[in-house]
Amino acid sequence: MAPLDKPSADSRASLSRGTPPQNLVVARGWILLSAFLSCSGWLLSALGQLNAVGYGVALAVGVALWIGFGRAICGCPHWKFSAGKFRRRYARALPALFLLLACLAILGGLLYAPSNYDALTYRFPRILHWLAENRWHWIVTTDSRMNVTATGFEWLMAPLLALTGSDRLFFLVNALSFALLPGLIYATFIRLGVGKRQAWVWMWVLPTGYGIVLQAGSIGNDAFAVVYFLASLCFALKFRESKNPWDFWFGM
């Protein structure tokens, strides 16, 4: 997902046509998915249909919208997986270390139930309240966080719970965010004037910070916000170069 090798002739031609590199394409897709699930959660809540059926219909609509408009908005290139390129990319020490940490985080999320204190205290319980009532509602409780804290992470967890009846896949929100960090760090740093070689080093080092990697396989929502901050800054800087209105809106 991050640009380790020198761009091929095809990728350089793609960039000259305004198509973003692969890491920014995935970031665009993640932003669209996050926004779609947040809007879907509030809309289904307003309709009193915050349940498995409601989410099933919403996701079907989302897939149709993606087929119709998603690829054009995200600028998806034609990707072709190359085992040789993958081996070359992760043969070096820093990328290999990041890949190891990502695999361990995913393995931890698969093997162990969520245990983040904040999530189990008020964020997961309020999703249970909402799904029980088929809508967001003010919860009578002595813990004010059930009502007044931000709901972004919850709207990404709610469809997983509604459709699977389990909390075991909640970690995927953080795992996917963690996987986006190297590419976003690189794309942001080079636009801030950092040399490409130095940016390449830091793209692998910064995501291994204790607070970030610790939450990569959990349901904590602190490191989760780093992706949106980096994406906002990256697309704002990219808009300054490209004048592409989509870069402006993704930055917003």
Side-chain angles (χ1 to χ4, degrees):
M1 293 175 63
L4 171 57
D5 307 306
K6 293 180 67 176
S8 65
D10 291 340
S11 63
R12 289 196 296 269
S14 175
L15 289 172
S16 68
R17 293 192 299 267
T19 303
Q22 292 182 8
N23 55 343
L24 294 188
V25 169
V26 179
R28 283 183 170 190
W30 179 245
I31 292 170
L32 284 179
L33 178 62
S34 301
F36 177 79
L37 291 179
S38 292
C39 293
S40 297
W42 286 115
L43 180 60
L44 292 174
S45 181
L47 297 175
Q49 297 297 321
L50 193 67
N51 50 48
V53 174
Y55 270 118
V57 173
L59 292 177
V61 171
V63 170
L65 290 173
W66 173 259
I67 293 173
F69 307 103
R71 292 181 63 86
I73 293 174
C74 289
C76 297
H78 295 290
W79 290 346
K80 184 178 180 180
F81 177 76
S82 170
K85 184 177 180 180
F86 181 86
R87 284 195 299 270
R88 288 194 304 273
R89 174 169 294 179
Y90 291 100
R92 303 187 189 184
L94 291 178
L97 175 61
F98 176 83
L99 182 61
L100 174 63
L101 291 174
C103 291
L104 290 175
I106 293 172
L107 181 63
L110 290 171
L111 293 178
Y112 300 101
S115 59
N116 178 267
Y117 170 79
D118 286 342
L120 297 183
T121 301
Y122 66 92
R123 291 194 284 110
F124 184 27
R126 64 175 173 175
I127 297 176
L128 295 173
H129 276 276
W130 300 344
L131 293 177
E133 295 287 335
N134 293 314
R135 61 182 179 86
W136 180 96
H137 66 102
W138 194 266
I139 302 167
V140 179
T141 176
T142 57
D143 190 344
S144 62
R145 296 174 299 178
M146 294 272 279
N147 295 306
V148 301
T149 56
T151 57
F153 200 98
E154 282 82 332
W155 287 132
L156 298 183
M157 293 194 296
L160 292 172
L161 180 60
L163 295 172
T164 68
S166 171
D167 61 359
R168 295 306 296 270
L169 296 181
F170 287 174
F171 77 94
L172 289 176
V173 176
N174 273 327
L176 290 172
S177 298
F178 183 68
L180 287 170
L181 287 178
L184 276 173
I185 291 171
Y186 182 87
T188 303
F189 275 24
I190 61 174
R191 287 175 172 82
L192 289 172
V194 178
K196 291 185 177 180
R197 186 178 298 275
Q198 290 77 17
W200 181 86
V201 171
W202 283 109
M203 68 187 267
W204 302 113
V205 173
L206 287 180
T208 64
Y210 180 75
I212 294 176
V213 76
L214 188 67
Q215 292 194 359
S218 80
I219 57 173
N221 68 342
D222 302 301
F224 160 75
V226 176
V227 165
Y228 300 115
F229 166 74
L230 284 172
S232 179
L233 182 58
C234 181
F235 284 115
L237 294 169
K238 190 170 182 297
F239 171 71
R240 190 170 63 178
E241 303 168 356
S242 68
K243 306 304 179 185
N244 184 338
W246 283 119
D247 288 331
F248 173 81
W249 289 113
F250 276 105
M252 291 291 289

